[in-house]
Amino acid sequence: MNGAESLVHSLLKSGVDTCFANPGTSEMHFVAALDRIPGMRCVLGLFEGVVTGAADGYARVTGKPAATLLHCGPGLGNGLANLHNARRAMSPIVNIVGDQATYHRLLDPPLTADAEGWARGVSGWVRTAMDVSTVGADAAAAVQASKIAPGQVATLILPSDTSWNDGGVVADALPELPTPLAAPSQIDEAAAILRRGGEGVVLMVGCDGVSDAGLALAHQIAAATGCRAMADTSRITPRGQGRIVLDRVPYVVEVAVQAMKGTKHLILCAARKPVTFFAYPGKPQTSIPDDAQIHVLARKDQDPVDALARLAAALGAPEVAAPDYGPRAELGTGPLTPESFATTVGALLPEDAIVVDESITYGRGLSTFTRASPPHIWMNPSGGAIGGGMPLAVGAGVAAGGRRVINLEADGSGMYTVQSLWTQARERLDVTTVILSNRKYQILLGELANVGANPGRTALEMMDLGNPDLDWPKIAEGMGVEGATADTADRFADLLASALKRKGPFLIELLI
Ligand SMILES: Cc1ncc(C[n+]2csc(CCOP(=O)(O)OP(=O)(O)O)c2C)c(N)n1
């Protein structure tokens, strides 16, 4: 058995059965091993940003890692932005980077780069497999590391000689490391604050706290004490009728400051104190008032659901039903507006849908108008690196098991990783993509004003995606995905209703 074969066997033994790949010469033995070993689903992405973003989307839906297969430092480099998004989402990923043979690396051939160094910025665990006999054990260790709470990227660099040499040894799965529980003092401190009353107290829940169980407990605590429960970053957000939907801190600084005004105590449960996306001249860096006290109910590496359950018990907070979000949104009619777009999505969202939201500026009505839709899950590219949405939809589509993926995608962001459509066609994924074609980097026009810059023609041209206009149905068709254009809400409703019924991918371009 060669090293590559021991790697594939060991990954399978550790429960990793899906690999998003873009291989090169140094990965040929891994690819050849896949022919001989059944059980690994291998999905080709035509750019490494698709590969890494898809592994993120897969992890978010299944809760378990997929493997990637990337080629040397430059292949890893192409995949870094979406590994960054995965790091921010705390997604478990076994990130495999093939590299130069151990003895050839010394000659500094063209594709040689500091792969370990590049990996380190996005990975919680990095190892280079240096000997064929330990590649299997390295793979098992990478899977174990990727699952350490709250989840992380584990990068295994694989020199080609450790792949092709004989002497591979298959490793058994390593046990999942237990997630530490919050200390009693953490629960006591939060309980003491909340016993004094919930006025001015914000309970901020993140990571796996944003799960059905965690959200129900946060809602229970809020109902019993009058505090405000809010959500921070998580891999996915369960939403819809019958579920608890928590507010988030808004993006725009002034709106965020207003929303968080009066906060006296901020209780963090696997969450971070909110900071603004950027600094702006003369504006605050956080929406939390300076005199607010911070309390840590659970760190990110501690179990947030357990901490919430113990806090609810300490407070004697009884179970409460989810609020009724009222009637479902109705189909939009007339011109396309953020509202008619959002109500149409809300009206048609199928039960158990997986929504990948990279709608940037046009999605501002979505959270309101999808609240009363049937239960579904929601995800965003968590690290703010645009171009995450379409790859997330690929990974979610591979993991979906019959569920529908709806990717709401701003046109500028979509162009970063547009090759995702080809993988969707090839794998026949049930992904419906809605492109929000404003032919602008709209959000940056707002940011110009926010930073106090004074734009002239050249500056404005840097935010204009027209001249030439992108023709999305043609782009999609060229990659094997059928598409159509809508310029009214009625036409959008017709197209979305029929796209959601058909098998396989479809793209709708909204001219907004
Ligand atoms: C990887 C990366 N590159 C660049 C940016 C800067 N950036 C933020 S938003 C944006 C444009 C977004 O335009 P689009 O996706 O069309 O959405 P719109 O603002 O028009 O709604 C850019 C370039 C970023 N966040 N991430």
Side-chain angles (χ1 to χ4, degrees):
M1 182 181 305
N2 67 25
E5 288 163 335
S6 72
L7 173 63
V8 176
H9 278 302
S10 302
L11 288 172
L12 287 168
K13 276 206 155 188
S14 290
V16 175
D17 58 9
T18 304
C19 177
F20 297 96
N22 186 276
T25 309
S26 40
E27 295 76 45
M28 287 297 115
H29 280 82
F30 185 105
V31 175
L34 295 168
D35 270 336
R36 292 190 289 276
I37 306 165
M40 181 70 76
R41 179 171 181 186
C42 224
V43 177
L44 178 61
L46 299 186
F47 173 67
E48 290 85 349
V50 177
V51 170
T52 53
D56 184 5
Y58 176 93
R60 294 186 195 214
V61 174
T62 61
K64 65 174 202 162
T68 62
L69 184 63
L70 306 175
H71 181 54
C72 300
L76 169 66
N78 278 343
L80 279 181
N82 279 337
L83 286 172
H84 160 83
N85 282 329
R87 179 176 81 91
R88 287 292 182 185
M90 295 149 289
S91 293
I93 293 178
V94 176
N95 183 42
I96 298 175
V97 185
D99 211 348
Q100 304 289 357
T102 47
Y103 56 88
H104 194 54
R105 180 173 190 86
L106 310 174
L107 306 183
D108 194 27
L111 269 159
T112 307
D114 182 11
E116 272 201 13
W118 294 3
R120 214 156 257 131
V122 291
S123 312
W125 183 99
V126 182
R127 182 180 294 179
T128 299
M130 290 304 285
D131 190 275
V132 63
S133 63
T134 50
V135 172
D138 291 333
V143 178
Q144 184 190 47
S146 74
K147 293 184 188 170
I148 292 173
Q152 59 185 357
V153 177
T155 297
L156 179 60
I157 297 168
L158 190 67
S160 52
D161 51 336
T162 56
S163 229
W164 71 51
N165 282 344
D166 279 334
V169 181
V170 180
D172 286 331
L174 294 171
E176 255 182 64
L177 294 175
T179 302
L181 305 181
S185 59
Q186 290 172 276
I187 313 290
D188 293 347
E189 183 178 329
I193 298 298
L194 285 165
R195 276 197 201 101
R196 284 191 244 143
E199 169 96 27
V201 182
V202 173
L203 173 61
M204 182 76 69
V205 181
C207 300
D208 280 350
V210 187
S211 54
D212 279 325
L215 292 170
L217 286 162
H219 182 56
Q220 219 169 298
I221 293 163
T225 63
C227 80
R228 194 169 162 210
M230 298 185 77
D232 188 26
T233 311
S234 58
R235 286 205 287 270
I236 59 161
T237 305
R239 303 184 79 255
Q241 198 64 272
R243 284 176 158 166
I244 314 293
V245 179
L246 299 185
D247 288 340
R248 287 172 184 275
V249 178
Y251 174 87
V252 176
V253 180
E254 291 78 1
V255 184
V257 168
Q258 192 57 33
M260 304 312 290
K261 207 169 136 188
T263 304
K264 294 194 177 69
H265 295 276
L266 177 64
I267 300 176
L268 299 173
C269 180
R272 286 202 320 163
K273 178 183 170 184
V275 294
T276 58
F277 243 71
F278 300 103
Y280 301 97
K283 293 188 187 180
Q285 290 165 267
T286 171
S287 51
I288 305 300
D290 286 344
D291 57 356
Q293 287 181 30
I294 313 290
H295 314 272
V296 181
L297 172 63
R299 297 189 313 264
K300 282 191 175 187
D301 61 323
Q302 296 174 322
D303 184 336
V305 176
D306 171 81
L308 289 166
R310 283 157 63 204
L311 178 59
L315 295 166
E319 277 181 36
V320 272
D324 181 351
Y325 299 116
R328 191 171 181 176
E330 290 181 13
L331 291 177
T333 55
L336 276 168
T337 61
E339 182 162 317
S340 65
F341 159 65
T343 54
T344 304
V345 172
L348 293 176
L349 208 57
E351 183 153 3
D352 284 334
I354 301 167
V355 181
V356 178
D357 177 10
E358 194 169 41
S359 55
I360 317 282
T361 55
Y362 210 70
R364 54 187 181 267
L366 286 169
S367 96
T368 306
F369 292 115
T370 55
R371 204 166 282 184
S373 300
H376 57 273
I377 61 172
W378 204 276
M379 66 177 88
N380 307 78
S382 306
I386 64 171
M390 295 180 89
L392 279 176
V394 168
V398 168
R403 285 173 286 175
R404 170 67 52 170
V405 180
I406 301 176
N407 177 201
L408 307 172
E409 188 66 35
D411 54 354
S413 299
M415 280 306 290
Y416 280 62
T417 39
V418 68
Q419 307 90 326
S420 303
L421 291 170
W422 181 88
T423 305
Q424 292 171 17
R426 173 188 252 225
E427 300 289 326
R428 297 188 176 74
L429 304 179
D430 293 333
V431 178
T432 307
T433 301
V434 181
I435 297 289
L436 303 160
S437 187
N438 60 7
R439 297 176 176 159
K440 283 189 199 65
Y441 285 160
Q442 179 65 41
I443 194 169
L444 297 188
L445 294 169
E447 294 293 47
L448 266 173
N450 282 337
V451 297
N454 203 358
R457 204 172 128 217
T458 309
L460 291 175
E461 271 175 11
M462 292 301 106
M463 283 143 230
D464 169 28
L465 304 190
N467 186 30
D469 289 341
L470 295 159
D471 185 332
W472 279 92
K474 270 198 191 153
I475 292 171
E477 193 194 335
M479 284 188 263
V481 174
E482 240 183 278
T485 297
D487 57 4
T488 64
D490 307 75
R491 172 90 176 125
F492 172 44
D494 287 348
L495 284 173
L496 185 59
S498 69
L500 293 175
K501 281 195 213 105
R502 56 191 281 161
K503 295 298 293 168
F506 191 82
L507 179 141
I508 302 167
E509 179 189 34
L510 296 189
L511 294 176
I512 58 174

